[in-house]
Each structure stands twice: as C-alpha cells, then as structure tokens.
Amino acid sequence: MHIPDGFLSPPVWAALDIVALPAVGYMARKAQRDFDETRIPLLGVMGAFVFAAQIVNFPVGIGTSGHLVGAALLAITLGPASASLVMTAILIMQAFVFQDGGVLALGANVVNMALLGVLAGYLPFHIWGEGPKRKFAVFLGGFLSVLTSAVLALSELLASGVAMPRMVLGVSLGLFVVSAVLEGVITLAVFQSLEAINPRFIRQPLARRSRALAAVALAAVIMVVGGVLVASTHPDGIAKLAQSTGIASHATALVATPLADYEWKFWNSPWIRKASAGLFGLFLIYVSIYGFCLLIGRTLRGPAAEPIVSRVISDVD
C-alpha cells in the first residue's frame, strides 16, 4: 500500500505533501484538546502492534500479498485524531528508517492511510459502534479503510500519467477488494480479542486495560520475531501493479539505511536480520509516539493551559 518515490509525478506528490502537513497539524490540535496522559501507553502499544502487523504479509492470490494496514483498528481504539497521528508516526519511521514508502511520496501515503484511510475506517463505528451492528461496523471500517486508501493510490498513479490497461486496473481493484475483506476480518478478530480480555476495552481506564495492553505488546513481539518466518514473499498490491505496468524500475530511494526492507544487514542469518530490525522498529515506534505525547502534555501544562484553567475557575464562580 506504500507508494515509493519515483511512481508519482512531481506535481502530484508535491500537492499531497502540501495538503498533508496542515491536515496532520489539524489532527494534532484535535488530539491535544482530548489529551489524557493515561492513554499514552495505549497509543504507543497500538502503534507498535500495527507496525508489527504491517511487516507480516499474507497471500491474497495471483502472486500478490497483503498485510494489515491497521487504520480502522487504530481509529476505533484510539479515536480518529490520535489514530491519524500514530499512523503518521509509523509512516514517517517506515520511510526514513526502513525505506518502505517514499520520502517525497510521504504526503501521499499520509493522506491515503493516516488521514482519509483512518476517517473511512472510523465512520461506520461512529454510526453503529454502540448498537447491535457493532461487529459489522468494525468489519466495515477495516474494509473501507483499505479500499479507500487503495482507490486513492490508484487515482494518484493515474493522475501521474501511469498507463493502466483496463484488465490490469480491474485485477488490481479485485485484489484490493480481497485485501479489504481480509482487513475487515482481521480488524474484527483483533477488536473482539481485546474486548474478550477487557470488556468495553475502549472506555476502560489504564489500570483495567493493562492485561489487554500486555497481550497486544506480546503479540507485536511474536509477529516480528516469528511472523517473519512465515510471511509471504510475494509483492503487495502496489508493487504488483508496478510490475504489471512497467513502472517498478522507476522506484528510487532518497535515503539509504542499514534497516532497508526491514532487515538489519549487520547480521548473517536472514531470520536474525528480520527479527532484530522488527524489534528495533517496535522500540522506535513506541518511543517516538511516547515522546510526542509527552510533548503535547507539556504544551498543555504550559502557557496554553492558562486559558483552560481560567475558564474552569470562571465556570466554578
């Protein structure tokens, strides 16, 4: 689902970079208004879990693989504003540390997955999440999040002048629909598992969420250590489309890191390469999200907090 550099034309990636920056800033302000320091571990652990899940690809047919994107799962468990920030942090880390997704195309990936993908994933839960259609809302959120991101990516490639024969476009859409269905199924399964451990997981205070958070953290570690052994090696939907249209050779990497392709090149063993890179990624994601949340909290306790205190005092008077 990540678009690398070299696939989009300069006008397209530049326009999306310009759009993404203020949009993420807006989400940050919304998250700041609802900020609660007790939720910081939840954001960090869920971010690490989604990062781990994105490493483990599964086959979706015709020599193509997919993976959990996690936009809907984050939106449902964290709320759309916080989910957008967590997903943005994951995409930034993937682009600059693991060379997964372009640096110039970062705005496109943020718009597709962290902004509109998150909002599409949250909409069904916002409408039906508290009623009898709760399970359906979770599934539909996962489905819509991936389908929305995929359609946006295809549209951006078409706007960049990438020629897509009708058959190739149809097959790509079909594969993305399969990935979207699997995303919905996995999102619902993870959500139900969390609520089985901690009923009404979303609304529980931190002390009562500790068992679920520990389970999510353990699952993330297992995925990056063991999941890489069984992960599909087939290209994902965007990479497969690039091969079919002949633009795969256009992919460029503006940054070179020792952790490219989620492998720590220092080691000789392929498994240790992948497992060590994955574990380091979990650490980076958690620390970056935790640090950013602390920064938001410090901002609230600074000058910006004074008007809030004043309003509370005036309300009491």
Side-chain angles (χ1 to χ4, degrees):
M1 194 66 69
H2 298 68
I3 301 175
D5 285 328
F7 284 16
L8 302 180
S9 64
V12 172
W13 62 252
L16 290 167
D17 284 348
I18 293 172
V19 169
L21 189 60
V24 171
Y26 173 76
M27 287 298 191
R29 289 186 64 90
K30 283 189 67 66
Q32 190 179 44
R33 285 199 292 268
D34 300 326
F35 180 76
D36 180 358
E37 284 191 355
T38 64
R39 299 180 73 242
I40 295 179
L42 173 64
L43 270 65
V45 170
M46 291 304 300
F49 176 84
V50 167
F51 170 82
Q54 290 189 6
I55 295 178
V56 183
N57 283 33
F58 48 79
V60 296
I62 320 180
T64 308
S65 68
H67 57 71
L68 179 74
V69 176
L73 181 63
L74 290 177
I76 293 169
T77 55
L78 307 180
S82 295
S84 290
L85 297 183
V86 170
M87 184 64 79
T88 298
I90 294 172
L91 292 171
I92 291 173
M93 204 66 66
Q94 288 171 330
F96 284 94
V97 179
F98 299 97
Q99 293 181 214
D100 186 12
V103 173
L104 297 178
L106 182 59
N109 291 321
V110 166
V111 168
N112 297 350
M113 288 183 275
L115 295 172
L116 297 182
V118 163
L119 292 177
Y122 184 71
L123 181 61
F125 192 79
H126 176 71
I127 297 173
W128 297 304
E130 297 300 325
K133 296 182 179 179
R134 184 179 178 85
K135 293 181 181 179
F136 173 73
V138 174
F139 166 82
L140 185 60
F143 177 85
L144 289 179
S145 66
V146 167
L147 198 59
T148 298
S149 299
V151 170
L152 286 169
L154 290 174
S155 301
E156 290 153 9
L157 291 170
L158 288 170
S160 297
V162 177
M164 296 186 198
R166 186 171 300 178
M167 180 174 291
V168 171
L169 185 59
V171 169
S172 297
L173 283 172
L175 290 172
F176 281 129
V177 168
V178 174
S179 294
V181 171
L182 293 173
E183 179 87 10
V185 171
I186 296 172
T187 301
L188 178 58
V190 173
F191 181 77
Q192 287 187 293
S193 298
L194 290 174
E195 293 220 316
I197 298 171
N198 284 107
R200 308 302 291 180
F201 169 78
I202 297 174
R203 300 184 184 279
Q204 290 289 334
L206 176 62
R208 297 183 183 179
R209 281 199 300 249
S210 57
R211 289 174 56 204
L213 287 182
V216 172
L218 179 61
V221 172
I222 291 174
M223 279 191 287
V224 299
V225 173
V228 294
L229 294 173
V230 297
S232 173
T233 57
H234 291 305
D236 65 10
I238 292 294
K240 184 68 174 180
L241 177 64
Q243 293 176 358
S244 302
T245 56
I247 65 168
S249 60
H250 297 175
T252 58
L254 298 183
V255 295
T257 75
L259 296 173
D261 299 323
Y262 301 98
E263 290 188 359
W264 203 317
K265 305 299 189 294
F266 175 80
W267 304 102
N268 292 325
S269 166
W271 172 70
I272 295 179
R273 284 184 174 188
K274 292 181 178 295
S276 60
L279 290 172
F280 186 61
L282 293 183
F283 171 77
L284 286 179
I285 293 295
Y286 185 86
V287 169
S288 63
I289 292 172
Y290 200 97
F292 180 72
C293 290
L294 287 180
L295 180 62
I296 288 179
R298 192 171 300 170
T299 302
L300 284 176
R301 290 192 296 269
E306 186 174 343
I308 299 175
V309 175
S310 300
R311 286 198 300 271
V312 172
I313 294 175
S314 64
D315 290 343
V316 172
D317 292 339

